[in-house]
């Protein structure tokens, strides 16, 4: 994901459109805590998913970045695989991931050939 | 042609229909609309159920331990198995088991021991790596991946595109050019372990099918034991043609299943939704769409059953299988399109499965050979005089 991270607050979340997509939660040091998605069952898309993350943020201070995409499931899996390829493990918030993840050996950190989401 | 079902076929159809309605559809109510997998606990429970029903591994040939279901009954089952949200590409979420890559049934005994049987036992997964960036519909000429013999090994260099499941596979069936012949007689098939040095899954390729991605592969100085060559050198395309034609029949039947369900939904909606002082079902515009749907559905059903019955009788069925694939994939796309039109706004929401089928059926006109290739197959047989 290439967007800059912003603070995870009621204000920043409510400013988002209620669309579907993927997001990344990071801590104050910039380390990725969790990669999630706002799927088709979320009442208000990205807003609902991020509000849930905010309510789980007991200590406060988390940040996030996001991408809107209808291919949220495949993009989410791709982001998890890229993270695992870089770090050797999943982010702590995804440690209970149930499905089988594939293995990628990307040439670069973000291998999307034409910046598939860069226009968002 | 007899379109009626035997008592046994009717029993099987009813059983599968109940299974889909009672076991699969309720689970989907809690899944993401684009989900492609069940919770592992549900998956395991349902596999146990299909084993008890005697249907697990239903595509495995009888000589390899499968239930020995004929092509016609298999097609009838496929029509039922696809009648749920994920049904087109993941009928019943794989709880009826898989049969592995068709080409492996033509492998040597050693290769079967190492790849086919572990696949049938669920211990290994394979993927099929044919298409390249240079093309997919005419792979015999498009293949640029090179294979060079070096003693007891082959060295492969090149790339593949739109490959499903390569990132999770234990082995891949890779086709490479191994001679200067620019056509099909210069291509050899290899079984490649995906942990072989030089085998890279470079990226995920996102498609309309947002449940499941494809991948792009790169091979760099990948050394393959000569014992992993599948079939004869430069004869990679001759492998399993009959089985591949056979697979087009349940593929077509899967398309038809989604169309039948979409038509049921459209009829139900038309009989209950009111507009301009009456039910939609009373409007001629809607009636004609429903009738056009029925024509597409019956046309596809006829072609599928004709191909299946010919296969079961041991007759040539290549033209019929190609026709079934073409008619079912194109006709089902039209049916779902009309069903969406009848539903109006709700038809394009993720509240209903129609939008997912609409996207996925568009891919079905390309997968397993695009419509144009199916026409090419039929034209060759009709004009070549082998079709009578």
């Amino acid at each position: 994901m290439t967007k800059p991270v912003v603070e995870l607050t009621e204000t920043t979340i409510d400013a988002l459109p209620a669309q579907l997509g993927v997001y990344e939660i990071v801590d104050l040091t910039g380390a990725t805590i969790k990669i999630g998605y706002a799927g088709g069952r979320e009442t208000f898309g990205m807003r609902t998913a991020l509000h849930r993350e905010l309510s789980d943020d007991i200590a406060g201070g988390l940040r996030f970045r996001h991408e809107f995409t209808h291919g949220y499931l495949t993009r989410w899996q791709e982001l998890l695989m890229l993270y695992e390829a870089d770090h050797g493990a999943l982010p702590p918030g995804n440690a209970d991931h149930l499905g089988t993840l594939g293995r990628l050996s990307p040439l670069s950190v973000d291998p999307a050939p034409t910046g598939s989401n860069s226009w968002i | 042609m007899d379109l009626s079902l035997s008592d046994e076929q009717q029993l099987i159809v009813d059983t599968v229909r109940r299974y889909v309605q009672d076991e699969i559809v309720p689970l989907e109510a809690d899944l993401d609309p684009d989900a492609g997998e069940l919770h592992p606990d549900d998956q395991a429970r349902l596999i146990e159920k299909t084993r008890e029903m005697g249907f697990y591994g239903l595509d495995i040939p009888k000589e390899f331990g499968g239930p020995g279901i004929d092509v016609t009954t298999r097609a009838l089952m496929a029509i039922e198995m696809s009648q749920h949200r994920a049904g087109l590409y993941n009928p019943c979420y794989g709880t009826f088991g898989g049969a592995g890559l068709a080409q492996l049934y033509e492998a040597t005994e050693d290769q079967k021991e190492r790849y086919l049987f572990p696949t049938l036992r669920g211990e290994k997964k394979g993927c099929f790596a044919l298409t390249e960036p240079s093309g997919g519909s005419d792979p015999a000429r498009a293949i640029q991946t090179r294979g060079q013999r070096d003693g007891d090994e082959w060295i492969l260099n090149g790339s593949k595109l739109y490959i499903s499941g390569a990132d999770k596979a234990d082995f891949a069936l890779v086709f490479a050019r191994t001679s200067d012949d620019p056509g099909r007689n210069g291509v050899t098939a290899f079984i490649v372990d995906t942990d072989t040095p030089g085998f890279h899954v470079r990226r995920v390729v996102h498609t309309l099918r947002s449940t499941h991605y494809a991948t792009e592969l790169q091979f760099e100085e990948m050394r393959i034991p000569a014992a992993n060559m599948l079939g004869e050198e430069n004869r990679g395309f001759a492998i399993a043609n009959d089985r591949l034609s056979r697979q087009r029949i349940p593929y077509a039947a899967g398309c038809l299943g989604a169309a039948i369900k979409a038509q049921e939904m459209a009829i139900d909606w038309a009989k209950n939704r009111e507009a301009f002082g009456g039910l939609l079902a009373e409007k001629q515009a809607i009636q004609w769409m429903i009738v056009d749907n029925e024509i597409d559905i019956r046309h596809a059903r006829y072609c599928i059953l004709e191909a299946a019955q010919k296969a079961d009788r041991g007759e040539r069925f290549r033209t019929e299988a190609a026709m079934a694939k073409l008619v079912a994939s194109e006709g089902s796309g039209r049916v779902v399109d009309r069903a969406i039109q009848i539903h109006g706004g709700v038809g394009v929401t993720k509240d209903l499965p129609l939008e997912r089928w609409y996207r996925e059926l568009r891919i079905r006109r390309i997968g397993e050979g695009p419509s144009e290739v199916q026409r090419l197959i039929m034209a060759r047989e009709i004009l070549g005089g082998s079709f009578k």
Side-chain angles (χ1 to χ4, degrees):
Chain A
M1 293 173 92
T2 52
K3 277 191 172 183
V5 293
V6 295
E7 283 186 46
L8 184 68
T9 66
E10 297 277 353
T11 308
T12 54
I13 295 170
D14 289 342
L16 296 171
Q19 293 182 10
L20 313 180
V22 293
Y23 59 84
E24 181 182 7
I25 305 289
V26 301
D27 65 16
L28 284 173
T29 69
T32 301
I33 302 294
K34 181 180 179 182
I35 296 167
Y37 68 87
R41 298 261 183 240
E42 302 285 13
T43 314
F44 291 102
M46 189 69 77
R47 277 191 230 148
T48 305
L50 287 173
H51 272 300
R52 194 166 50 245
E53 300 293 348
L54 182 62
S55 67
D56 289 345
D57 180 19
I58 299 164
L62 289 182
R63 296 162 182 237
F64 77 98
R65 56 183 169 180
H66 69 282
E67 286 176 6
F68 291 124
T69 171
H70 271 261
Y72 50 87
L73 276 180
T74 50
R75 179 63 172 143
W76 175 63
Q77 290 171 69
E78 179 186 24
L79 289 169
L80 288 176
M81 287 189 283
L82 288 171
Y83 186 93
E84 194 169 47
D86 283 346
H87 299 86
L90 290 174
N94 299 100
D96 59 351
H97 181 75
L98 282 174
T100 314
L101 270 187
R103 304 171 304 273
L104 284 185
S105 44
L107 286 167
S108 60
V109 175
D110 187 353
T114 54
S116 54
N117 288 297
S118 60
W119 51 272
I120 295 173
Chain B
M1 200 177 91
D2 185 7
L3 290 177
S4 61
L5 275 54
S6 69
D7 289 346
E8 187 187 28
Q9 285 172 333
Q10 189 63 57
L11 184 67
I12 290 172
V13 164
D14 290 344
T15 303
V16 176
R17 188 173 296 167
R18 267 200 312 277
Y19 175 82
V20 171
Q21 285 307 312
D22 296 349
E23 303 289 351
I24 301 294
V25 172
L27 291 175
E28 287 190 326
D30 294 326
L31 294 176
D32 186 274
D34 267 2
E37 292 177 358
L38 294 175
H39 188 284
D41 294 344
D42 289 323
Q43 175 92 2
R45 176 177 60 79
L46 292 179
I47 284 176
E48 219 28 65
K49 207 168 185 74
T50 59
R51 280 190 200 281
E52 288 167 15
M53 290 156 64
F55 291 149
Y56 189 77
L58 60 94
D59 288 325
I60 299 172
K62 197 170 187 179
E63 62 268 32
F64 292 94
I69 291 171
D70 60 75
V71 183
T72 305
T73 309
R74 176 67 185 89
L76 293 168
M77 292 176 79
I79 292 170
E80 298 301 324
M81 287 164 62
S82 62
Q83 294 188 33
H84 60 97
R85 193 185 286 266
L88 264 172
Y89 276 98
N90 205 359
C92 296
Y93 294 90
T95 53
F96 283 78
L101 298 164
Q103 291 81 359
L104 289 180
Y105 291 97
E106 319 298 328
T108 64
E109 289 310 309
D110 167 59
Q111 290 167 344
K112 283 177 188 163
E113 287 293 336
R114 288 188 290 138
Y115 298 102
L116 176 62
F117 299 140
T119 302
L120 299 184
R121 291 194 297 267
E123 297 162 7
K124 280 190 176 180
K125 280 184 186 170
C127 70
F128 187 76
L130 175 67
T131 299
E132 300 197 1
S134 50
S137 290
D138 182 17
R141 288 165 191 80
I143 284 177
Q144 295 178 6
T145 293
R146 295 292 309 195
Q148 281 188 313
R149 184 101 192 204
D150 183 25
D152 288 342
E153 293 180 318
W154 285 86
I155 304 171
L156 269 55
N157 282 286
S159 60
K160 298 286 176 182
L161 191 58
Y162 310 136
I163 309 304
S164 283
D167 57 319
K168 296 177 182 174
D170 300 289
F171 64 91
L173 186 56
V174 175
F175 292 81
R177 191 162 301 286
T178 46
S179 90
D180 292 333
D181 187 305
R184 62 171 48 227
N185 291 330
V187 175
T188 304
F190 298 93
I191 307 170
V192 177
D193 290 306
T194 55
D195 59 1
T196 304
F199 184 100
H200 303 292
V201 183
R202 285 304 188 200
R203 70 179 179 105
V204 160
V205 183
H206 298 278
T207 69
L208 267 180
R209 190 181 159 201
S210 52
T211 295
H212 186 84
Y213 51 80
T215 62
E216 180 167 354
L217 311 182
Q218 187 183 11
F219 310 134
E220 288 181 320
E221 293 295 310
M222 193 167 67
R223 287 186 167 269
I224 311 300
N228 277 31
M229 185 173 76
L230 182 61
E232 293 177 45
E233 186 175 336
N234 296 325
R235 293 289 181 271
F237 273 105
I239 303 168
N241 258 337
D242 178 69
R243 286 185 203 275
L244 292 174
S245 286
R246 239 168 243 267
Q247 284 178 356
R248 290 199 180 107
I249 300 171
Y251 188 90
C255 297
L256 176 58
I260 290 170
K261 200 69 195 170
Q263 170 78 329
E264 275 179 26
M265 292 169 65
I267 291 170
D268 189 52
W269 184 260
K271 285 172 137 179
N272 287 286
R273 183 74 164 183
E274 289 189 17
F276 300 104
L279 292 172
L280 286 183
E282 295 163 357
K283 319 289 181 197
Q284 190 180 52
I286 302 298
Q287 291 171 356
W288 285 20
M289 281 194 263
I290 300 272
V291 170
D292 287 345
N293 276 358
E294 198 62 26
I295 292 168
D296 276 329
I297 285 169
R298 293 192 191 197
H299 186 193
R301 184 177 169 84
Y302 183 93
C303 289
I304 289 165
L305 291 180
E306 187 191 23
Q309 290 181 8
K310 275 196 141 186
D312 283 334
R313 289 196 300 266
E315 298 171 17
R316 275 181 75 88
F317 63 98
R318 203 152 184 251
T319 291
E320 286 77 7
M323 194 177 293
K325 194 274 178 185
L326 183 146
V327 168
S329 59
E330 296 203 344
S332 298
R334 289 191 295 269
V335 170
V336 170
D337 184 63
R338 292 188 202 104
I340 286 175
Q341 195 67 18
I342 291 166
H343 276 82
V346 72
V348 291
T349 68
K350 286 189 181 294
D351 293 348
L352 299 182
L354 294 170
E355 63 86 28
R356 179 168 172 177
W357 294 338
Y358 181 80
R359 288 183 283 118
E360 294 183 344
L361 276 167
R362 182 63 188 85
I363 306 171
R364 300 287 268 216
R365 284 161 52 191
I366 297 171
E368 287 281 320
S371 296
E372 293 69 27
V373 169
Q374 306 307 328
R375 286 187 170 91
L376 194 67
I377 291 169
M378 288 185 270
R380 276 181 190 154
E381 297 231 341
I382 294 167
L383 294 169
S386 60
F387 180 76
K388 292 192 173 71

